[in-house]
Amino acid sequence: MLEFYAPGFSWEVRTHYNGDRTVIEGRLTLRAAEGNFVREATGTEDNEIDSWGDPSSNAEAMALRRCCAKFGLGLHLLGEIARIALNTLLHLKQTYLDTKLHKINCVELETDFENHQP
């Protein structure tokens, strides 16, 4: 996505070790006719990780994501996430209301049945 919207971008990193953490300082430069635009961010990771990846690549990915976010890249994804969340909430609300209505109808039927017993 970055290569599509900002061909010729530049990504630089500096690695630091702070105790038991790896810290990556990232610098993303987007080149445009108006000049260069720069955003910087950091990413960190424990040196002893039990998850996927290694400390330096995880920290670098975090720094790159943060730089991209500072440029506003990926904001369209937030709209999609919000739409999915709203649809899920509406579905849950409708399911809840349908369940309540079903229970009310069952109580009314039981009451009608009891009232019409000989």
Side-chain angles (χ1 to χ4, degrees):
M1 185 166 136
L2 191 57
E3 187 62 46
F4 179 78
Y5 287 108
F9 71 92
S10 171
W11 174 243
E12 305 164 47
V13 296
R14 290 183 300 277
T15 304
H16 307 279
Y17 300 98
N18 186 3
D20 63 344
R21 298 193 68 79
T22 298
V23 179
I24 300 284
E25 293 179 43
R27 177 183 174 98
L28 179 61
T29 304
L30 303 184
R31 292 166 178 41
E34 297 82 5
N36 292 338
F37 299 90
V38 177
R39 299 294 184 269
E40 295 180 339
T42 60
T44 65
E45 182 69 83
D46 285 328
N47 290 332
E48 299 294 326
I49 59 172
D50 296 332
S51 61
W52 186 259
D54 62 86
S56 61
S57 64
N58 291 350
E60 184 175 345
M62 182 186 298
L64 179 59
R65 284 191 308 269
R66 289 174 173 175
C67 283
C68 289
K70 288 180 178 182
F71 275 116
L73 295 171
L75 286 177
H76 67 285
L77 297 173
L78 293 178
E80 182 66 14
I81 290 168
R83 184 188 65 75
I84 291 169
L86 180 60
N87 284 341
T88 301
L89 288 173
L90 291 173
H91 176 74
L92 290 172
K93 179 181 176 185
Q94 188 61 49
T95 301
Y96 172 79
L97 292 174
D98 289 346
T99 302
K100 291 292 262 184
L101 182 61
H102 178 73
K103 287 181 180 178
I104 290 170
N105 287 338
C106 286
V107 168
E108 288 176 356
L109 286 173
E110 288 175 2
T111 304
D112 287 347
F113 180 76
E114 290 170 0
N115 290 339
H116 290 85
Q117 288 293 326

